Amino acid sequence: MKSNSQQVKVFLRCRPPLKRELSSGQYRSVVSCNVERPNSVNIRVERDGQTFIKTFDFDGVFNQTANQLDVYKRVAVHSIEEMLKGYDCTIFAYGQTGTGKTYTMEGRPSRETKWDVNSDAGLIPRVCQHLFEELENIDSEYSVQISYVELYNEKLRDLLSPHYSELKLLNDSKGNVIIEGVEEVVVHSNENVYDCLDGCWKRKTASTKMNENSSRSHTVFTITTHVKSRNSGEEDILITGKLHLVDLAGSENIGRSGATNMRAQEAGKINKSLLTLGRVITALVEKTGRVPYRDSLLTRILQNSLGGKAKTNIIATISPAHINLEETLSTCIYASRAKFIENQPEVNQTLTKKALIKEYTMIIERLRKDLYTTRSKNGIYLSEERYEEIMGQLAQKDHESSTLSISVSSLQEKCDELTNANSSLRTELRETLKELKQGNKRNEELSEKLLASQKELNVSNIKINEKEYIITVQEETERKLREETKALRNIMDLLKNDQQIVYSACEELANHHRKQIAVIRRVEDCLYRNASSLLL
Ligand code: ADP
Ligand code: MG
């Protein structure tokens, strides 16, 4: 995020059920606000016989009991301060038809409206009354201008012009988008504002009743302030600020896939400006390169408010009724995406009084020439100089337009190539996914086998450990046996020696014995002989 980046602030407002909804006998609410999380909303989704809760977070949530003053204080009150500091500010109302966009922006205004007293008056009448109250309190010269335009079917009309004339957009020398010829009415008081708006509101209501345009049209109410600021010693400067209050067409006009990549021709009757607004938001949120501001009048007018130098707030409006569930969900999704748009708010360039007078003098001079020519030459309504200037611009536009058509067709070709490449990639992807699935199955089987082998291995390991233990014990026993054998051998050797001695002793004894026996025999012989002689 850049240092002065500021995300667009998004608020959600849920209107109370309408009398006709309650009396239909079929009313069920699917929206509830979370007491512990005051900036969240819970939507009860019922699909395929299942019910679940989807929660969305915003910068603020206004439930059914919130009144017009609550909304003004939270969303718009700071815009007055910012505008007087020299910022451009924008407040959008976005949502399905019948959810309270116009109620929030205009409400039921009256000349008695006070910004800090609750009533049915919406943001526009409160901002106007509050602004004049603030300006009267500051000790500076100021001027206030208002303009009010309606965009219907890609045609821009001036709601403040008595002829309800059609307008064109132009880029000025600094690249800013300006609405050529729009009535910027200078107003000196809140009363003046009502003098201008009364007629216009009546006209708008009448046209709405006649052709039901209001759900398909966008209105942009703009207040411009110039405040003189003392510049110590130097020339006084003028601080310029703007506040746009935008009541968008009903979001159902965007079509189901409006926020995605529907082509213009397919979009058919879908509101081009609303569709482009969705694309601009997508490009800004996803940071995908070119932002298609130039594709619709609305996004050209609001270029500075989305991704530009303005401070922007969005109020997304929803209905609590279950019959609007799908639109409510898509509004919440759209609005929660818009939170990620980053603007770089910057104070407008200040003008010195001299520079402003010079600018006005040039405009007056041009108008004076046009007027003179109109009066003097029948049928020509412009000075030759101005005519040449316009013809030059037209030729340049023609040239730009043919260059653009060439690039459009080459882009179309590239787009077709990409679509083809995309579809073959999709086929490859499908194939790869199939293979991946099969691979996964094989993997699962192998995993099972691996598991079984591991079990066997574990058993074998246990056995090996047991055997190793037995071998160690046997080796130890063997070692002990070897030592004992050695000791026994030593004892045996000793015993052998002893035996030898015993043998020798026995031999001697035997010899001695034999000798004795021989003596005894001889004695016996003698005795025998003696006895025999005696007997004889
Ligand atoms: P949208 O401009 O979105 O089509 P509206 O502003 O015309 O919707 O509102 C439709 C109806 O609901 C109107 O009758 C309006 O007075 C009523 N309404 C909308 N929001 C509220 C609210 N917060 N409180 C009371 N009534 C409301
Ligand atoms: Mg409306």
Side-chain angles (χ1 to χ4, degrees), residues 359-371:
E359 209 177 291
Y360 282 157
T361 321
M362 276 166 67
I363 293 172
I364 290 169
E365 182 59 18
R366 209 181 67 201
L367 290 173
R368 201 184 56 76
K369 276 187 187 166
D370 285 354
L371 186 66

Side-chain angles (χ1 to χ4, degrees), residues 179-454:
I179 306 176
E180 194 191 36
V182 67
E183 293 270 351
E184 287 193 278
V185 182
V186 178
V187 280
H188 302 286
S189 66
N190 196 34
E191 276 294 299
N192 265 182
V193 176
Y194 276 87
D195 295 339
C196 294
L197 292 186
D198 258 357
C200 132
W201 269 326
K202 273 183 201 133
R203 228 183 357 261
K204 219 156 66 76
T205 319
S207 90
T208 305
K209 276 190 185 143
M210 255 167 26
N211 49 26
E212 297 287 316
N213 281 356
S214 87
S215 73
R216 287 168 179 256
S217 71
H218 316 273
T219 55
V220 184
F221 177 77
T222 305
I223 309 177
T224 310
T225 53
H226 294 291
V227 179
K228 197 165 96 176
S229 167
R230 298 220 159 80
N231 209 3
S232 55
E234 295 169 37
E235 210 179 342
D236 288 344
I237 52 167
L238 280 172
I239 297 171
T240 307
K242 273 184 198 293
L243 174 59
H244 302 288
L245 295 148
V246 188
D247 185 356
L248 292 174
S251 57
E252 68 282 1
N253 288 307
I254 206 171
R256 282 276 161 254
S257 49
T260 58
N261 279 330
M262 191 184 253
R263 278 196 189 174
Q265 14 347 356
E266 291 168 67
K269 291 188 188 118
I270 286 167
N271 192 301
K272 188 176 173 191
S273 278
L274 206 57
L275 187 69
T276 311
L277 181 67
R279 285 184 180 148
V280 164
I281 292 177
T282 304
L284 288 170
V285 170
E286 291 176 6
K287 302 197 167 96
T288 46
R290 192 182 91 90
V291 184
Y293 292 114
R294 294 192 64 85
D295 293 0
S296 81
L297 292 183
L298 179 74
T299 47
R300 281 184 73 190
I301 296 175
L302 299 174
Q303 178 158 354
N304 199 30
S305 311
L306 297 162
K309 296 175 184 170
K311 296 192 171 208
T312 301
N313 290 346
I314 297 177
I315 305 176
T317 55
I318 56 169
S319 138
H322 75 284
I323 49 159
N324 295 320
L325 174 66
E326 290 307 322
E327 250 343 296
T328 300
L329 277 177
S330 89
T331 300
C332 287
I333 293 168
Y334 192 95
S336 21
R337 273 159 59 79
K339 273 194 311 185
F340 297 103
I341 300 175
E342 279 171 26
N343 283 3
Q344 277 80 42
E346 228 176 68
V347 169
N348 288 317
Q349 254 186 352
T350 49
L351 274 179
T352 59
K353 211 170 175 178
K354 250 190 206 160
L356 188 74
I357 290 171
K358 197 172 160 200
E359 209 177 291
Y360 282 157
T361 321
M362 276 166 67
I363 293 172
I364 290 169
E365 182 59 18
R366 209 181 67 201
L367 290 173
R368 201 184 56 76
K369 276 187 187 166
D370 285 354
L371 186 66
Y372 173 76
T373 330
T374 310
R375 276 190 193 144
S376 59
K377 291 181 190 167
N378 235 350
I380 300 172
Y381 301 99
L382 300 171
S383 69
E384 221 169 319
E385 197 183 294
R386 178 96 175 103
Y387 176 72
E388 290 302 328
E389 192 188 326
I390 289 173
M391 289 314 277
Q393 281 174 357
L394 272 180
Q396 201 192 338
K397 291 278 174 247
D398 265 350
H399 177 70
E400 282 174 12
S401 150
S402 58
T403 327
L404 279 175
S405 341
I406 294 168
S407 12
V408 164
S409 45
S410 82
L411 279 175
Q412 187 63 52
E413 270 172 27
K414 273 190 196 149
C415 180
D416 289 343
E417 276 171 26
L418 283 174
T419 315
N420 285 344
N422 201 1
S423 78
S424 60
L425 276 176
R426 263 177 215 282
T427 320
E428 273 179 35
L429 186 69
R430 262 199 297 276
E431 290 297 314
T432 318
L433 280 176
K434 217 167 145 189
E435 281 174 20
L436 197 68
K437 242 185 197 164
Q438 285 169 354
N440 275 347
K441 210 173 159 193
R442 255 180 274 140
N443 263 355
E444 270 170 22
E445 287 169 6
L446 284 175
S447 294
E448 272 171 23
K449 281 187 187 163
L450 190 68
L451 215 68
S453 308
Q454 255 171 355

Side-chain angles (χ1 to χ4, degrees), residues 13-18 20 63-68 71 93-108 120 214-215 247-250 252 317-318:
R13 182 176 198 186
C14 179
R15 69 153 165 74
L18 303 176
R20 66 179 148 81
N63 64 21
Q64 300 178 12
T65 58
N67 60 38
Q68 299 281 64
V71 177
Y94 176 90
Q96 184 187 3
T97 298
T99 52
K101 297 181 295 299
T102 309
Y103 181 77
T104 302
M105 284 298 167
E106 294 172 12
R108 284 182 269 281
D120 273 329
S214 87
S215 73
D247 185 356
L248 292 174
E252 68 282 1
T317 55
I318 56 169

